[in-house]
Amino acid sequence: MRPANKRAPILPATAYFNRELSWLAFNRRVLAQAQSERYPLLERVNFLAIVGSNLDEFFEIRVAGLLQQTDSGLLEVSIDGLGPSEQLRRIHAVVASLVDEQYQCWHRHLKPALARENILFPAPTDLSGEQRAWLRSYFRDQVYPVLTPLALDPSHPFPHIGNKTLNVIVALERPAPADETPLIAILPVPRILPRLVTLPRAHDAPRQFLFLSDLIKLCAGDLFPGYQLRAAHTFRVTRNSDLYIDEEEAENLLKKIEEELRNLRRGAAVRLEIELGSDEMLSRTLCEQLHVAPANVFRLPGPLDLVRLSSLAELDRPDLKFPTFTPVNVSPLRNPADIFATLRSQDVLLHHPYDVFTPVVDFVEQAARDPQVFAIKQTLYRTSGDSPIVQALIEASRNGKQVTALIELKARFDEANNIQWARQLSEAGVHVVYGLIGHKTHCKLCLVVRREGRRMRAYAHLGTGNYNPRTARLYTDLSLFTSRTTLTRDIGRLFNALTGFGHSPRFSHLLVAPYALHRRIGALIAREIAHAKAGQPARIVAKMNALVDQATIDRLYAASRAGVQIDLIVRGICCLVPGVPGLSENIRVHSIVGRFLEHARIFYFENAGGEPTVLAGSADWMPRNFFRRVEVLFPIDDPIARHWIVEDILWAELRDTENTHLLHPNGAYLPPRRPRGARGFSVHTFGMQNALRRAGAIG
């Protein structure tokens, strides 16, 4: 185990893309889905909302970190040689352009297209008298009682504005004297109320919506009798939301994280969004009180917080959504009662969301109820609010089994949920532990120990995704079920290291971070280099969410120079520059963004035309995954499962022309060229059709 690799650069800074700008390029690819007319309309609206949500997180974490560096004077140069100030300058230029495109997409394309489908967002000035009367009644009955106006004057200091909350700032005038300075107040928009107000309509009339913030602005004067409303504008603040915890000093990690979660409400403001054309005095007041620099102020044409549009997905308009796809349940594990008998004779691989997530839940539930099961050990990074996995672990403990849950309290934005699960599990008698100090436990593992005759036998589930049935319908992930002792013994060693004192555990088959994953990946790349230099077949296909680690990038450059053919399928951040003569001419970078979120990490090393090495797991190729997280890559030893991954997943993704963008040496992501008349190929459509074919063959 060692810290993230800090070493003198071997290559010039131009050999790498900037991490932050690469992430923004990814979010632009998400925006391209909202702009694409080949998607159903409400799906495009949802992609637009995702862009807003992604930008929120980017400012909360990445921009906040850069601002902290500039404030503290501890300046860290990025992989491409940029200091934090220059990164911030470039980030804001790119974000300004991106946000402009985002709002153009809404106002020029999506909003008019929704209107053509009788889904309207009328301006308050376009409302009829009858509609205005209804809205005032709605405001009086539903909104007014939960609004709390906050005056700003010497006896009312500027209030704390919550992170990502929507607010209305108003300027008020007394009836006389007319030249007196306007009074200012803030109206926090209640989070508990629906963000879109649905206007009443006849059965066949168009649906009409008004943003709650617009309704509050329309009726704000009612809150201040005796004053005249001069101006009302919506604004929104994004704050630093990272958790800073010195685990060596924190005697009780659970308590410390709860304290930090409360402290987030007092995090420094890193972005102010306010309506375009807002009163200059009000804007200046917000900037001064929030201590936001002008570069971090975004004046937007509205509506602020486009994430609110995601609620349109609830509309009963199947004609404006993706055709329904129901995951198939055709694996050998479809009968829960036979799970352990099946796994004694074979490995089982599932590919979500095409395969149903049910067997994963069944595996834990059967273990909880089976009287022959003595122990269950489980990692939990993120799970659903009504998690059947957690409930099964509670049931298992109450049934007298030895249950251990390794919960990652610092799973970003899921900290509060995970604290809740930790308390519930502890109260049920589950042994709850929090992993290695200084390392997030990100691997996805479940180990079940069962008595069979005179021996104890172990069964395991290893995954690339979280134990979350909801996201399993949206994310592409792999689940491997096995009873191979080569894997279950390693998993047992890892759990012992995480719950006990495992300083340097050794693993025979698993590749585990922070212990040896970085070195083992480097060795596999070196093996392909040796094969290429010997004139033997050499190829690497690596699928991940992000590629940032400089040492690994340099090894890939060395492999390219040696003649290794390399295809990287990197959904998000990629700091490697492909296609550069003499450096990376044998490397191609694909990014797939479409109906499903590509989430599985899969790695293929050709091994000179012999039996290829195929690995899957939880780790991206980033310093944090190699050195600051507990990660697991597991080998796919079963020939049938390995063939499926190679042919129906990796090769299919490399054929994709519908959801793929190719990274070019100048940093541009462009769709692949398609010969005139050639049919497009979508790996997501292929996955759904392939699943249905398998279901038909078995049915």
Side-chain angles (χ1 to χ4, degrees):
M1 193 186 313
R2 62 187 178 90
N5 51 332
K6 297 289 185 183
R7 59 190 182 86
I10 298 173
L11 298 168
T14 54
Y16 311 98
F17 288 128
N18 181 269
R19 170 189 171 140
E20 318 304 346
L21 300 180
S22 181
W23 186 93
L24 289 173
F26 159 68
N27 210 32
R28 193 177 291 279
R29 297 195 294 282
V30 178
L31 177 58
Q33 315 309 305
Q35 296 165 329
S36 174
E37 295 187 0
R38 67 187 183 88
Y39 285 126
L41 181 56
L42 289 180
E43 305 294 349
R44 294 171 62 191
V45 172
N46 193 51
F47 276 116
L48 191 73
I50 291 171
V51 172
S53 177
N54 287 348
L55 279 173
D56 284 349
E57 181 174 344
F58 181 70
F59 272 87
E60 288 176 279
I61 306 301
R62 303 305 306 177
V63 172
L66 290 170
L67 288 171
Q68 281 193 318
Q69 284 190 51
T70 58
D71 291 343
S72 67
L74 300 174
L75 308 181
E76 183 176 340
V77 176
S78 64
I79 192 172
D80 61 329
L82 301 180
S85 295
E86 178 60 18
Q87 289 184 76
L88 286 168
R89 188 189 69 79
R90 298 189 186 191
I91 284 168
H92 283 289
V94 174
V95 169
S97 172
L98 181 63
V99 170
D100 182 60
E101 282 192 46
Q102 187 186 16
Y103 276 91
Q104 284 189 41
C105 181
W106 169 247
H107 287 291
R108 296 185 183 180
H109 302 288
L110 296 182
K111 187 177 174 183
L114 288 167
R116 291 192 291 272
E117 294 293 342
N118 288 323
I119 301 171
L120 307 179
F121 287 81
T125 53
D126 296 334
L127 297 170
S128 67
E130 185 179 353
Q131 288 174 320
R132 282 174 168 266
W134 182 89
L135 284 168
R136 288 198 172 276
S137 175
Y138 177 89
F139 176 83
R140 183 177 61 252
D141 296 339
Q142 303 293 328
V143 182
Y144 182 93
V146 292
L147 277 179
T148 303
L150 304 172
L152 303 184
D153 59 32
S155 62
H156 297 88
F158 193 86
H160 177 78
I161 305 299
N163 182 36
K164 296 187 294 187
T165 58
L166 205 58
N167 303 270
V168 175
I169 186 168
V170 300
L172 304 165
E173 292 180 345
R174 293 187 178 90
D179 60 345
E180 203 169 296
T181 302
L183 302 176
I184 302 174
I186 290 175
L187 303 172
V189 178
R191 282 183 161 176
I192 198 169
L193 297 177
R195 294 303 193 179
L196 294 180
V197 178
T198 306
L199 279 74
R201 67 183 184 110
H203 176 68
D204 56 348
R207 292 179 173 89
Q208 297 191 67
F209 298 95
L210 190 71
F211 289 97
L212 178 61
S213 54
D214 286 339
L215 173 60
I216 292 174
K217 288 193 296 181
L218 183 68
C219 303
D222 296 355
L223 291 156
F224 305 98
Y227 293 88
Q228 183 177 353
L229 185 67
R230 191 180 94 172
H233 304 291
T234 309
F235 74 95
R236 187 169 180 263
V237 178
T238 311
R239 295 186 178 277
N240 184 331
S241 292
D242 214 351
L243 288 173
Y244 296 93
I245 299 170
D246 184 349
E247 294 182 60
E248 298 282 3
E249 299 296 329
E251 293 183 3
N252 186 322
L253 185 60
L254 182 67
K255 182 178 179 181
K256 187 68 176 177
I257 287 180
E258 286 183 303
E259 292 174 359
E260 288 294 327
L261 286 173
R262 288 192 291 270
N263 289 341
L264 290 184
R265 292 194 295 272
R266 296 187 290 274
V270 297
R271 177 179 61 166
L272 170 63
E273 297 169 286
I274 189 166
E275 286 182 307
L276 187 66
S278 57
D279 183 277
E280 187 57 36
M281 182 268 294
L282 296 180
S283 299
R284 187 170 58 253
T285 298
L286 290 174
C287 290
E288 291 172 353
Q289 295 293 333
L290 294 166
H291 307 290
V292 178
N296 298 325
V297 178
F298 292 85
R299 301 179 187 277
L300 306 175
L304 267 59
D305 189 12
L306 291 172
V307 179
R308 295 182 285 171
L309 294 171
S310 61
S311 62
L312 290 179
E314 300 171 7
L315 288 177
D316 185 20
R317 288 294 302 269
D319 56 314
L320 302 181
K321 302 177 184 179
F322 287 128
T324 301
F325 172 72
T326 302
V328 302
N329 191 3
V330 297
S331 82
L333 302 180
R334 59 188 179 277
N335 183 355
D338 296 336
I339 283 180
F340 299 119
T342 299
L343 295 180
R344 281 196 293 273
S345 63
Q346 67 179 106
D347 290 353
V348 175
L349 181 74
L350 302 180
H351 187 200
H352 312 296
Y354 312 110
D355 288 293
V356 72
F357 192 72
T358 304
V360 180
V361 177
D362 290 342
F363 179 70
V364 185
E365 290 182 341
Q366 283 297 110
R369 297 163 188 165
D370 187 334
Q372 301 307 312
V373 169
F374 279 32
I376 304 173
K377 301 182 180 185
Q378 173 91 48
T379 64
L380 291 172
Y381 187 73
R382 301 185 196 276
T383 188
S384 57
D386 54 350
S387 172
I389 301 287
V390 171
Q391 297 307 317
L393 295 176
I394 290 173
E395 180 183 357
S397 180
R398 290 173 176 165
N399 287 341
K401 305 181 191 305
Q402 186 85 358
V403 182
T404 302
L406 203 154
I407 297 181
E408 181 46 67
L409 292 179
K410 295 182 293 177
R412 184 174 292 157
F413 302 124
D414 275 333
E415 297 95 345
N417 286 337
N418 288 3
I419 288 172
Q420 177 188 354
W421 293 132
R423 293 199 183 284
Q424 288 189 18
L425 289 164
S426 294
E427 290 169 2
V430 174
H431 298 291
V432 176
V433 293
Y434 306 116
L436 297 178
I437 288 179
H439 296 78
K440 282 188 179 183
T441 301
H442 190 245
C443 53
K444 329 294 182 184
L445 302 171
C446 180
L447 185 69
V448 172
V449 180
R450 190 173 188 267
R451 185 174 65 183
E452 297 178 357
R454 295 184 177 181
R455 60 171 290 193
M456 290 290 185
R457 184 164 191 149
Y459 299 83
H461 169 266
L462 305 96
T464 67
N466 299 306
Y467 287 99
N468 189 327
R470 294 183 179 178
T471 58
R473 297 179 66 92
L474 302 172
Y475 294 8
T476 68
D477 273 306
L478 295 178
S479 282
L480 177 68
F481 298 85
T482 186
S483 64
R484 292 177 187 261
T485 55
T486 53
L487 294 180
T488 58
R489 283 175 182 166
D490 272 3
I491 296 171
R493 292 187 188 107
L494 178 56
F495 272 110
N496 289 342
L498 295 176
T499 60
F501 293 104
H503 184 264
S504 298
R506 295 185 178 275
F507 306 97
S508 59
H509 283 68
L510 296 181
L511 281 68
V512 182
Y515 304 107
L517 177 59
H518 192 255
R519 176 177 56 81
R520 296 280 299 276
I521 291 295
L524 287 168
I525 297 173
R527 189 183 71 182
E528 294 301 311
I529 292 174
H531 291 324
K533 289 180 176 179
Q536 298 175 306
R539 188 174 190 190
I540 298 170
V541 181
K543 170 180 166 59
M544 66 197 87
N545 294 340
L547 173 56
V548 175
D549 183 66
Q550 183 181 338
T552 304
I553 291 172
D554 289 350
R555 291 184 179 117
L556 292 171
Y557 286 151
S560 174
R561 290 194 296 269
V564 181
Q565 295 299 312
I566 303 171
D567 283 283
L568 304 174
I569 306 168
V570 185
R571 186 191 79 216
I573 302 166
C574 181
C575 294
L576 178 146
V577 182
V580 177
L583 178 69
S584 57
E585 67 265 40
N586 291 316
I587 304 178
R588 297 155 294 278
V589 177
H590 314 246
S591 174
I592 297 175
V593 180
R595 173 171 181 169
F596 300 121
L597 182 79
E598 291 295 327
H599 192 253
R601 288 81 162 182
I602 306 171
F603 307 98
Y604 169 94
F605 299 89
E606 189 157 293
N607 195 22
E611 186 176 277
T613 298
V614 178
L615 305 166
S618 58
D620 292 314
W621 286 356
M622 306 177 72
R624 71 181 188 189
N625 301 90
F626 285 133
F627 304 113
R628 299 194 298 276
R629 289 186 173 189
V630 178
E631 303 275 16
V632 168
L633 293 184
F634 49 90
I636 307 297
D637 294 320
D638 181 79
I640 295 175
R642 189 164 55 233
H643 182 270
W644 183 14
I645 288 176
V646 172
E647 296 295 331
D648 287 356
I649 300 178
L650 291 181
W651 290 178
E653 295 203 350
L654 295 178
R655 289 171 51 202
D656 184 277
T657 58
E658 294 290 310
N659 310 287
T660 294
H661 286 76
L662 299 177
L663 176 58
H664 288 249
N666 63 358
Y669 280 86
L670 301 175
R673 290 182 178 177
R674 204 162 67 200
R676 181 173 295 180
R679 296 181 62 184
F681 178 81
S682 166
V683 69
H684 295 158
T685 301
F686 170 78
M688 290 185 287
Q689 292 174 344
N690 200 28
L692 295 174
R693 279 193 294 269
R694 287 189 286 118
I698 293 177

